[in-house]
PDB file of all heavy atoms in Angstrom:
ATOM      1  N   PHE J  26     101.615  93.461  93.691  1.00  0.00           N
ATOM      2  CA  PHE J  26     102.824  93.902  94.391  1.00  0.00           C
ATOM      3  C   PHE J  26     103.235  95.258  93.862  1.00  0.00           C
ATOM      4  O   PHE J  26     102.794  95.688  92.806  1.00  0.00           O
ATOM      5  CB  PHE J  26     103.963  92.895  94.300  1.00  0.00           C
ATOM      6  CG  PHE J  26     104.523  92.719  92.909  1.00  0.00           C
ATOM      7  CD1 PHE J  26     105.625  93.457  92.423  1.00  0.00           C
ATOM      8  CD2 PHE J  26     103.926  91.845  91.997  1.00  0.00           C
ATOM      9  CE1 PHE J  26     106.092  93.286  91.168  1.00  0.00           C
ATOM     10  CE2 PHE J  26     104.397  91.698  90.675  1.00  0.00           C
ATOM     11  CZ  PHE J  26     105.538  92.402  90.272  1.00  0.00           C
ATOM     12  N   GLU J  27     104.028  95.960  94.609  1.00  0.00           N
ATOM     13  CA  GLU J  27     104.539  97.250  94.210  1.00  0.00           C
ATOM     14  C   GLU J  27     106.064  97.227  93.997  1.00  0.00           C
ATOM     15  O   GLU J  27     106.777  96.648  94.759  1.00  0.00           O
ATOM     16  CB  GLU J  27     104.198  98.312  95.266  1.00  0.00           C
ATOM     17  CG  GLU J  27     104.506  99.759  94.868  1.00  0.00           C
ATOM     18  CD  GLU J  27     103.975 100.771  95.804  1.00  0.00           C
ATOM     19  OE1 GLU J  27     102.752 100.898  95.900  1.00  0.00           O
ATOM     20  OE2 GLU J  27     104.810 101.468  96.482  1.00  0.00           O
ATOM     21  N   LYS J  28     106.452  97.840  92.882  1.00  0.00           N
ATOM     22  CA  LYS J  28     107.863  97.916  92.533  1.00  0.00           C
ATOM     23  C   LYS J  28     108.097  99.205  91.774  1.00  0.00           C
ATOM     24  O   LYS J  28     107.231  99.600  90.956  1.00  0.00           O
ATOM     25  CB  LYS J  28     108.353  96.712  91.740  1.00  0.00           C
ATOM     26  CG  LYS J  28     109.778  96.572  91.483  1.00  0.00           C
ATOM     27  CD  LYS J  28     110.103  95.316  90.725  1.00  0.00           C
ATOM     28  CE  LYS J  28     111.618  95.160  90.477  1.00  0.00           C
ATOM     29  NZ  LYS J  28     111.904  93.888  89.723  1.00  0.00           N
ATOM     30  N   ASN J  29     109.175  99.883  91.988  1.00  0.00           N
ATOM     31  CA  ASN J  29     109.505 101.179  91.337  1.00  0.00           C
ATOM     32  C   ASN J  29     108.349 102.159  91.621  1.00  0.00           C
ATOM     33  O   ASN J  29     108.029 103.008  90.755  1.00  0.00           O
ATOM     34  CB  ASN J  29     109.588 100.936  89.827  1.00  0.00           C
ATOM     35  CG  ASN J  29     110.610  99.910  89.424  1.00  0.00           C
ATOM     36  OD1 ASN J  29     111.743  99.929  89.890  1.00  0.00           O
ATOM     37  ND2 ASN J  29     110.200  98.960  88.618  1.00  0.00           N
ATOM     38  N   ASN J  30     107.719 101.990  92.747  1.00  0.00           N
ATOM     39  CA  ASN J  30     106.593 102.849  93.195  1.00  0.00           C
ATOM     40  C   ASN J  30     105.436 102.745  92.263  1.00  0.00           C
ATOM     41  O   ASN J  30     104.574 103.669  92.141  1.00  0.00           O
ATOM     42  CB  ASN J  30     107.074 104.329  93.267  1.00  0.00           C
ATOM     43  CG  ASN J  30     106.065 105.170  94.076  1.00  0.00           C
ATOM     44  OD1 ASN J  30     105.503 104.704  95.101  1.00  0.00           O
ATOM     45  ND2 ASN J  30     105.819 106.389  93.672  1.00  0.00           N
ATOM     46  N   LEU J  31     105.261 101.599  91.572  1.00  0.00           N
ATOM     47  CA  LEU J  31     104.127 101.330  90.731  1.00  0.00           C
ATOM     48  C   LEU J  31     103.528  99.980  90.994  1.00  0.00           C
ATOM     49  O   LEU J  31     104.193  99.054  91.452  1.00  0.00           O
ATOM     50  CB  LEU J  31     104.637 101.370  89.221  1.00  0.00           C
ATOM     51  CG  LEU J  31     105.015 102.702  88.729  1.00  0.00           C
ATOM     52  CD1 LEU J  31     105.794 102.591  87.383  1.00  0.00           C
ATOM     53  CD2 LEU J  31     103.816 103.652  88.510  1.00  0.00           C
ATOM     54  N   PRO J  32     102.230  99.847  90.781  1.00  0.00           N
ATOM     55  CA  PRO J  32     101.501  98.530  91.040  1.00  0.00           C
ATOM     56  C   PRO J  32     101.600  97.563  89.902  1.00  0.00           C
ATOM     57  O   PRO J  32     101.564  97.988  88.730  1.00  0.00           O
ATOM     58  CB  PRO J  32     100.046  99.025  91.324  1.00  0.00           C
ATOM     59  CG  PRO J  32      99.915 100.187  90.420  1.00  0.00           C
ATOM     60  CD  PRO J  32     101.233 100.860  90.359  1.00  0.00           C
ATOM     61  N   TYR J  33     101.659  96.286  90.228  1.00  0.00           N
ATOM     62  CA  TYR J  33     101.736  95.210  89.216  1.00  0.00           C
ATOM     63  C   TYR J  33     100.861  94.070  89.690  1.00  0.00           C
ATOM     64  O   TYR J  33     100.769  93.745  90.863  1.00  0.00           O
ATOM     65  CB  TYR J  33     103.160  94.721  89.037  1.00  0.00           C
ATOM     66  CG  TYR J  33     104.133  95.687  88.565  1.00  0.00           C
ATOM     67  CD1 TYR J  33     104.822  96.517  89.509  1.00  0.00           C
ATOM     68  CD2 TYR J  33     104.435  95.862  87.238  1.00  0.00           C
ATOM     69  CE1 TYR J  33     105.741  97.459  89.101  1.00  0.00           C
ATOM     70  CE2 TYR J  33     105.350  96.820  86.811  1.00  0.00           C
ATOM     71  CZ  TYR J  33     106.047  97.613  87.757  1.00  0.00           C
ATOM     72  OH  TYR J  33     106.903  98.543  87.339  1.00  0.00           O
ATOM     73  N   LEU J  34     100.159  93.460  88.702  1.00  0.00           N
ATOM     74  CA  LEU J  34      99.439  92.241  88.968  1.00  0.00           C
ATOM     75  C   LEU J  34     100.418  91.132  89.282  1.00  0.00           C
ATOM     76  O   LEU J  34     101.442  90.931  88.583  1.00  0.00           O
ATOM     77  CB  LEU J  34      98.579  91.900  87.755  1.00  0.00           C
ATOM     78  CG  LEU J  34      97.623  90.738  87.903  1.00  0.00           C
ATOM     79  CD1 LEU J  34      96.416  91.167  88.815  1.00  0.00           C
ATOM     80  CD2 LEU J  34      97.096  90.312  86.567  1.00  0.00           C
ATOM     81  N   LYS J  35     100.145  90.337  90.349  1.00  0.00           N
ATOM     82  CA  LYS J  35     101.101  89.287  90.741  1.00  0.00           C
ATOM     83  C   LYS J  35     101.132  88.170  89.672  1.00  0.00           C
ATOM     84  O   LYS J  35     102.199  87.667  89.345  1.00  0.00           O
ATOM     85  CB  LYS J  35     100.648  88.688  92.061  1.00  0.00           C
ATOM     86  CG  LYS J  35     101.671  87.718  92.654  1.00  0.00           C
ATOM     87  CD  LYS J  35     101.274  87.302  94.043  1.00  0.00           C
ATOM     88  CE  LYS J  35     102.346  86.428  94.675  1.00  0.00           C
ATOM     89  NZ  LYS J  35     102.053  86.052  96.047  1.00  0.00           N
ATOM     90  N   ASP J  36      99.972  87.801  89.090  1.00  0.00           N
ATOM     91  CA  ASP J  36      99.985  86.761  88.072  1.00  0.00           C
ATOM     92  C   ASP J  36     100.088  87.412  86.749  1.00  0.00           C
ATOM     93  O   ASP J  36      99.089  87.775  86.112  1.00  0.00           O
ATOM     94  CB  ASP J  36      98.662  85.952  88.181  1.00  0.00           C
ATOM     95  CG  ASP J  36      98.571  84.820  87.183  1.00  0.00           C
ATOM     96  OD1 ASP J  36      99.639  84.472  86.595  1.00  0.00           O
ATOM     97  OD2 ASP J  36      97.508  84.286  87.000  1.00  0.00           O
ATOM     98  N   ASN J  37     101.359  87.617  86.269  1.00  0.00           N
ATOM     99  CA  ASN J  37     101.546  88.218  84.988  1.00  0.00           C
ATOM    100  C   ASN J  37     102.584  87.467  84.205  1.00  0.00           C
ATOM    101  O   ASN J  37     103.423  86.746  84.736  1.00  0.00           O
ATOM    102  CB  ASN J  37     101.902  89.701  85.106  1.00  0.00           C
ATOM    103  CG  ASN J  37     103.256  89.945  85.697  1.00  0.00           C
ATOM    104  OD1 ASN J  37     104.290  89.692  85.025  1.00  0.00           O
ATOM    105  ND2 ASN J  37     103.337  90.480  86.905  1.00  0.00           N
ATOM    106  N   LEU J  38     102.587  87.691  82.894  1.00  0.00           N
ATOM    107  CA  LEU J  38     103.570  87.093  82.002  1.00  0.00           C
ATOM    108  C   LEU J  38     104.887  87.851  82.000  1.00  0.00           C
ATOM    109  O   LEU J  38     105.991  87.242  81.976  1.00  0.00           O
ATOM    110  CB  LEU J  38     102.969  87.041  80.549  1.00  0.00           C
ATOM    111  CG  LEU J  38     103.721  86.245  79.516  1.00  0.00           C
ATOM    112  CD1 LEU J  38     103.835  84.798  79.904  1.00  0.00           C
ATOM    113  CD2 LEU J  38     102.948  86.403  78.186  1.00  0.00           C
ATOM    114  N   ALA J  39     104.763  89.152  82.004  1.00  0.00           N
ATOM    115  CA  ALA J  39     105.941  90.015  82.099  1.00  0.00           C
ATOM    116  C   ALA J  39     105.448  91.401  82.584  1.00  0.00           C
ATOM    117  O   ALA J  39     104.239  91.656  82.538  1.00  0.00           O
ATOM    118  CB  ALA J  39     106.590  90.192  80.741  1.00  0.00           C
ATOM    119  N   ASN J  40     106.384  92.161  83.104  1.00  0.00           N
ATOM    120  CA  ASN J  40     105.959  93.487  83.638  1.00  0.00           C
ATOM    121  C   ASN J  40     106.984  94.581  83.246  1.00  0.00           C
ATOM    122  O   ASN J  40     108.168  94.283  83.122  1.00  0.00           O
ATOM    123  CB  ASN J  40     105.693  93.451  85.114  1.00  0.00           C
ATOM    124  CG  ASN J  40     106.819  92.858  85.916  1.00  0.00           C
ATOM    125  OD1 ASN J  40     107.820  93.505  86.145  1.00  0.00           O
ATOM    126  ND2 ASN J  40     106.672  91.616  86.369  1.00  0.00           N
ATOM    127  N   PHE J  41     106.426  95.798  83.121  1.00  0.00           N
ATOM    128  CA  PHE J  41     107.288  96.879  82.678  1.00  0.00           C
ATOM    129  C   PHE J  41     106.972  98.147  83.488  1.00  0.00           C
ATOM    130  O   PHE J  41     105.824  98.407  83.840  1.00  0.00           O
ATOM    131  CB  PHE J  41     107.008  97.219  81.193  1.00  0.00           C
ATOM    132  CG  PHE J  41     107.211  96.062  80.258  1.00  0.00           C
ATOM    133  CD1 PHE J  41     106.181  95.147  79.985  1.00  0.00           C
ATOM    134  CD2 PHE J  41     108.391  95.865  79.667  1.00  0.00           C
ATOM    135  CE1 PHE J  41     106.362  94.141  79.168  1.00  0.00           C
ATOM    136  CE2 PHE J  41     108.630  94.800  78.766  1.00  0.00           C
ATOM    137  CZ  PHE J  41     107.590  93.924  78.519  1.00  0.00           C
ATOM    138  N   ALA J  42     108.029  98.904  83.770  1.00  0.00           N
ATOM    139  CA  ALA J  42     107.861 100.226  84.351  1.00  0.00           C
ATOM    140  C   ALA J  42     108.222 101.249  83.219  1.00  0.00           C
ATOM    141  O   ALA J  42     109.301 101.074  82.587  1.00  0.00           O
ATOM    142  CB  ALA J  42     108.776 100.419  85.519  1.00  0.00           C
ATOM    143  N   CYS J  43     107.418 102.236  83.008  1.00  0.00           N
ATOM    144  CA  CYS J  43     107.601 103.136  81.870  1.00  0.00           C
ATOM    145  C   CYS J  43     107.507 104.601  82.318  1.00  0.00           C
ATOM    146  O   CYS J  43     106.723 104.943  83.205  1.00  0.00           O
ATOM    147  CB  CYS J  43     106.541 102.843  80.822  1.00  0.00           C
ATOM    148  SG  CYS J  43     106.478 101.160  80.251  1.00  0.00           S
ATOM    149  N   ARG J  44     108.328 105.428  81.707  1.00  0.00           N
ATOM    150  CA  ARG J  44     108.318 106.883  81.921  1.00  0.00           C
ATOM    151  C   ARG J  44     107.953 107.570  80.619  1.00  0.00           C
ATOM    152  O   ARG J  44     108.547 107.383  79.572  1.00  0.00           O
ATOM    153  CB  ARG J  44     109.644 107.358  82.372  1.00  0.00           C
ATOM    154  CG  ARG J  44     109.723 108.815  82.683  1.00  0.00           C
ATOM    155  CD  ARG J  44     111.102 109.276  83.184  1.00  0.00           C
ATOM    156  NE  ARG J  44     111.502 108.596  84.441  1.00  0.00           N
ATOM    157  CZ  ARG J  44     112.595 107.788  84.560  1.00  0.00           C
ATOM    158  NH1 ARG J  44     113.391 107.608  83.523  1.00  0.00           N
ATOM    159  NH2 ARG J  44     112.830 107.273  85.715  1.00  0.00           N
ATOM    160  N   VAL J  45     106.927 108.438  80.677  1.00  0.00           N
ATOM    161  CA  VAL J  45     106.409 109.112  79.516  1.00  0.00           C
ATOM    162  C   VAL J  45     107.423 110.091  78.913  1.00  0.00           C
ATOM    163  O   VAL J  45     107.997 110.898  79.641  1.00  0.00           O
ATOM    164  CB  VAL J  45     105.088 109.829  79.794  1.00  0.00           C
ATOM    165  CG1 VAL J  45     104.598 110.602  78.620  1.00  0.00           C
ATOM    166  CG2 VAL J  45     103.995 108.843  80.264  1.00  0.00           C
ATOM    167  N   LEU J  46     107.675 109.939  77.591  1.00  0.00           N
ATOM    168  CA  LEU J  46     108.483 110.909  76.897  1.00  0.00           C
ATOM    169  C   LEU J  46     107.668 111.934  76.128  1.00  0.00           C
ATOM    170  O   LEU J  46     108.038 113.106  76.128  1.00  0.00           O
ATOM    171  CB  LEU J  46     109.367 110.117  75.870  1.00  0.00           C
ATOM    172  CG  LEU J  46     110.336 109.078  76.472  1.00  0.00           C
ATOM    173  CD1 LEU J  46     111.006 108.308  75.324  1.00  0.00           C
ATOM    174  CD2 LEU J  46     111.373 109.713  77.320  1.00  0.00           C
ATOM    175  N   HIS J  47     106.603 111.508  75.493  1.00  0.00           N
ATOM    176  CA  HIS J  47     105.742 112.384  74.726  1.00  0.00           C
ATOM    177  C   HIS J  47     104.286 111.896  74.832  1.00  0.00           C
ATOM    178  O   HIS J  47     104.041 110.720  75.091  1.00  0.00           O
ATOM    179  CB  HIS J  47     106.162 112.391  73.235  1.00  0.00           C
ATOM    180  CG  HIS J  47     107.593 112.696  72.963  1.00  0.00           C
ATOM    181  ND1 HIS J  47     108.088 113.980  73.083  1.00  0.00           N
ATOM    182  CD2 HIS J  47     108.622 111.878  72.654  1.00  0.00           C
ATOM    183  CE1 HIS J  47     109.410 113.904  72.783  1.00  0.00           C
ATOM    184  NE2 HIS J  47     109.730 112.645  72.536  1.00  0.00           N
ATOM    185  N   SER J  48     103.365 112.807  74.658  1.00  0.00           N
ATOM    186  CA  SER J  48     101.965 112.447  74.603  1.00  0.00           C
ATOM    187  C   SER J  48     101.308 113.207  73.455  1.00  0.00           C
ATOM    188  O   SER J  48     101.629 114.391  73.181  1.00  0.00           O
ATOM    189  CB  SER J  48     101.264 112.691  75.919  1.00  0.00           C
ATOM    190  OG  SER J  48     101.204 114.073  76.222  1.00  0.00           O
ATOM    191  N   TYR J  49     100.326 112.543  72.814  1.00  0.00           N
ATOM    192  CA  TYR J  49      99.659 113.112  71.678  1.00  0.00           C
ATOM    193  C   TYR J  49      98.162 112.877  71.866  1.00  0.00           C
ATOM    194  O   TYR J  49      97.691 111.774  71.996  1.00  0.00           O
ATOM    195  CB  TYR J  49     100.119 112.446  70.344  1.00  0.00           C
ATOM    196  CG  TYR J  49     101.579 112.517  70.160  1.00  0.00           C
ATOM    197  CD1 TYR J  49     102.441 111.419  70.612  1.00  0.00           C
ATOM    198  CD2 TYR J  49     102.254 113.568  69.508  1.00  0.00           C
ATOM    199  CE1 TYR J  49     103.811 111.470  70.471  1.00  0.00           C
ATOM    200  CE2 TYR J  49     103.573 113.597  69.319  1.00  0.00           C
ATOM    201  CZ  TYR J  49     104.345 112.530  69.848  1.00  0.00           C
ATOM    202  OH  TYR J  49     105.719 112.605  69.650  1.00  0.00           O
ATOM    203  N   SER J  50      97.405 113.974  71.925  1.00  0.00           N
ATOM    204  CA  SER J  50      96.001 113.935  72.212  1.00  0.00           C
ATOM    205  C   SER J  50      95.136 113.892  70.962  1.00  0.00           C
ATOM    206  O   SER J  50      95.338 114.683  70.019  1.00  0.00           O
ATOM    207  CB  SER J  50      95.565 115.150  73.054  1.00  0.00           C
ATOM    208  OG  SER J  50      96.174 115.124  74.288  1.00  0.00           O
ATOM    209  N   LEU J  51      94.216 112.938  70.898  1.00  0.00           N
ATOM    210  CA  LEU J  51      93.202 112.842  69.799  1.00  0.00           C
ATOM    211  C   LEU J  51      91.877 113.036  70.505  1.00  0.00           C
ATOM    212  O   LEU J  51      91.759 113.194  71.708  1.00  0.00           O
ATOM    213  CB  LEU J  51      93.305 111.472  69.137  1.00  0.00           C
ATOM    214  CG  LEU J  51      94.664 111.185  68.454  1.00  0.00           C
ATOM    215  CD1 LEU J  51      94.743 109.737  68.015  1.00  0.00           C
ATOM    216  CD2 LEU J  51      94.975 112.154  67.342  1.00  0.00           C
ATOM    217  N   GLU J  52      90.804 113.031  69.684  1.00  0.00           N
ATOM    218  CA  GLU J  52      89.486 113.326  70.241  1.00  0.00           C
ATOM    219  C   GLU J  52      89.074 112.286  71.294  1.00  0.00           C
ATOM    220  O   GLU J  52      88.522 112.636  72.322  1.00  0.00           O
ATOM    221  CB  GLU J  52      88.440 113.357  69.112  1.00  0.00           C
ATOM    222  CG  GLU J  52      87.079 113.778  69.543  1.00  0.00           C
ATOM    223  CD  GLU J  52      86.094 113.903  68.433  1.00  0.00           C
ATOM    224  OE1 GLU J  52      86.536 113.867  67.289  1.00  0.00           O
ATOM    225  OE2 GLU J  52      84.900 113.958  68.661  1.00  0.00           O
ATOM    226  N   SER J  53      89.379 111.046  71.068  1.00  0.00           N
ATOM    227  CA  SER J  53      88.880 109.959  71.970  1.00  0.00           C
ATOM    228  C   SER J  53      89.969 109.443  72.826  1.00  0.00           C
ATOM    229  O   SER J  53      89.728 108.943  73.951  1.00  0.00           O
ATOM    230  CB  SER J  53      88.270 108.796  71.140  1.00  0.00           C
ATOM    231  OG  SER J  53      89.243 108.216  70.331  1.00  0.00           O
ATOM    232  N   ASN J  54      91.230 109.444  72.370  1.00  0.00           N
ATOM    233  CA  ASN J  54      92.301 108.826  73.079  1.00  0.00           C
ATOM    234  C   ASN J  54      93.594 109.741  73.150  1.00  0.00           C
ATOM    235  O   ASN J  54      93.672 110.658  72.421  1.00  0.00           O
ATOM    236  CB  ASN J  54      92.726 107.522  72.328  1.00  0.00           C
ATOM    237  CG  ASN J  54      91.763 106.383  72.546  1.00  0.00           C
ATOM    238  OD1 ASN J  54      90.554 106.549  72.234  1.00  0.00           O
ATOM    239  ND2 ASN J  54      92.196 105.295  73.063  1.00  0.00           N
ATOM    240  N   THR J  55      94.465 109.350  74.078  1.00  0.00           N
ATOM    241  CA  THR J  55      95.776 109.981  74.110  1.00  0.00           C
ATOM    242  C   THR J  55      96.828 108.866  73.914  1.00  0.00           C
ATOM    243  O   THR J  55      96.734 107.800  74.472  1.00  0.00           O
ATOM    244  CB  THR J  55      96.008 110.648  75.487  1.00  0.00           C
ATOM    245  OG1 THR J  55      95.164 111.763  75.623  1.00  0.00           O
ATOM    246  CG2 THR J  55      97.484 111.141  75.648  1.00  0.00           C
ATOM    247  N   LEU J  56      97.791 109.191  73.045  1.00  0.00           N
ATOM    248  CA  LEU J  56      98.885 108.275  72.749  1.00  0.00           C
ATOM    249  C   LEU J  56     100.069 108.685  73.591  1.00  0.00           C
ATOM    250  O   LEU J  56     100.580 109.813  73.447  1.00  0.00           O
ATOM    251  CB  LEU J  56      99.208 108.289  71.289  1.00  0.00           C
ATOM    252  CG  LEU J  56     100.368 107.333  70.843  1.00  0.00           C
ATOM    253  CD1 LEU J  56      99.934 105.904  70.981  1.00  0.00           C
ATOM    254  CD2 LEU J  56     100.831 107.655  69.443  1.00  0.00           C
ATOM    255  N   PHE J  57     100.568 107.806  74.441  1.00  0.00           N
ATOM    256  CA  PHE J  57     101.780 108.030  75.211  1.00  0.00           C
ATOM    257  C   PHE J  57     102.938 107.256  74.598  1.00  0.00           C
ATOM    258  O   PHE J  57     102.778 106.078  74.269  1.00  0.00           O
ATOM    259  CB  PHE J  57     101.625 107.536  76.649  1.00  0.00           C
ATOM    260  CG  PHE J  57     100.639 108.279  77.487  1.00  0.00           C
ATOM    261  CD1 PHE J  57      99.393 107.702  77.803  1.00  0.00           C
ATOM    262  CD2 PHE J  57     100.890 109.570  77.923  1.00  0.00           C
ATOM    263  CE1 PHE J  57      98.511 108.416  78.610  1.00  0.00           C
ATOM    264  CE2 PHE J  57      99.995 110.275  78.708  1.00  0.00           C
ATOM    265  CZ  PHE J  57      98.785 109.723  79.068  1.00  0.00           C
ATOM    266  N   VAL J  58     104.033 107.959  74.341  1.00  0.00           N
ATOM    267  CA  VAL J  58     105.246 107.273  73.983  1.00  0.00           C
ATOM    268  C   VAL J  58     106.138 107.327  75.224  1.00  0.00           C
ATOM    269  O   VAL J  58     106.422 108.383  75.731  1.00  0.00           O
ATOM    270  CB  VAL J  58     105.972 107.964  72.802  1.00  0.00           C
ATOM    271  CG1 VAL J  58     107.334 107.347  72.500  1.00  0.00           C
ATOM    272  CG2 VAL J  58     105.059 107.910  71.557  1.00  0.00           C
ATOM    273  N   ALA J  59     106.611 106.146  75.703  1.00  0.00           N
ATOM    274  CA  ALA J  59     107.254 106.104  76.983  1.00  0.00           C
ATOM    275  C   ALA J  59     108.509 105.198  76.943  1.00  0.00           C
ATOM    276  O   ALA J  59     108.536 104.169  76.197  1.00  0.00           O
ATOM    277  CB  ALA J  59     106.290 105.520  78.037  1.00  0.00           C
ATOM    278  N   GLU J  60     109.516 105.597  77.664  1.00  0.00           N
ATOM    279  CA  GLU J  60     110.717 104.798  77.787  1.00  0.00           C
ATOM    280  C   GLU J  60     110.536 103.707  78.797  1.00  0.00           C
ATOM    281  O   GLU J  60     109.973 103.960  79.901  1.00  0.00           O
ATOM    282  CB  GLU J  60     111.889 105.697  78.209  1.00  0.00           C
ATOM    283  CG  GLU J  60     113.235 104.891  78.357  1.00  0.00           C
ATOM    284  CD  GLU J  60     114.372 105.813  78.765  1.00  0.00           C
ATOM    285  OE1 GLU J  60     114.174 107.010  78.989  1.00  0.00           O
ATOM    286  OE2 GLU J  60     115.499 105.282  78.848  1.00  0.00           O
ATOM    287  N   VAL J  61     110.926 102.497  78.514  1.00  0.00           N
ATOM    288  CA  VAL J  61     110.908 101.352  79.409  1.00  0.00           C
ATOM    289  C   VAL J  61     112.093 101.464  80.340  1.00  0.00           C
ATOM    290  O   VAL J  61     113.275 101.365  79.885  1.00  0.00           O
ATOM    291  CB  VAL J  61     110.875 100.057  78.700  1.00  0.00           C
ATOM    292  CG1 VAL J  61     110.894  98.892  79.682  1.00  0.00           C
ATOM    293  CG2 VAL J  61     109.671  99.948  77.760  1.00  0.00           C
ATOM    294  N   ILE J  62     111.880 101.718  81.609  1.00  0.00           N
ATOM    295  CA  ILE J  62     112.979 101.908  82.521  1.00  0.00           C
ATOM    296  C   ILE J  62     113.277 100.610  83.337  1.00  0.00           C
ATOM    297  O   ILE J  62     114.295 100.492  83.995  1.00  0.00           O
ATOM    298  CB  ILE J  62     112.741 103.040  83.510  1.00  0.00           C
ATOM    299  CG1 ILE J  62     111.418 102.850  84.311  1.00  0.00           C
ATOM    300  CG2 ILE J  62     112.656 104.400  82.744  1.00  0.00           C
ATOM    301  CD1 ILE J  62     111.168 103.948  85.348  1.00  0.00           C
ATOM    302  N   ALA J  63     112.360  99.674  83.266  1.00  0.00           N
ATOM    303  CA  ALA J  63     112.545  98.336  83.938  1.00  0.00           C
ATOM    304  C   ALA J  63     111.637  97.369  83.285  1.00  0.00           C
ATOM    305  O   ALA J  63     110.530  97.638  82.885  1.00  0.00           O
ATOM    306  CB  ALA J  63     112.249  98.401  85.417  1.00  0.00           C
ATOM    307  N   ALA J  64     112.121  96.132  83.112  1.00  0.00           N
ATOM    308  CA  ALA J  64     111.354  95.088  82.471  1.00  0.00           C
ATOM    309  C   ALA J  64     111.745  93.719  83.061  1.00  0.00           C
ATOM    310  O   ALA J  64     112.908  93.517  83.399  1.00  0.00           O
ATOM    311  CB  ALA J  64     111.577  95.056  80.971  1.00  0.00           C
TER     312      ALA J  64
END
């Protein structure tokens, strides 16, 4: 289903909508720090 203009699996334990505050790039991965705007 879609909520907050984002997709979610219907069979889930809990769901979160998040907005990125900061991102940090490493060689293999990027770390996103994000505010939870809905849960």
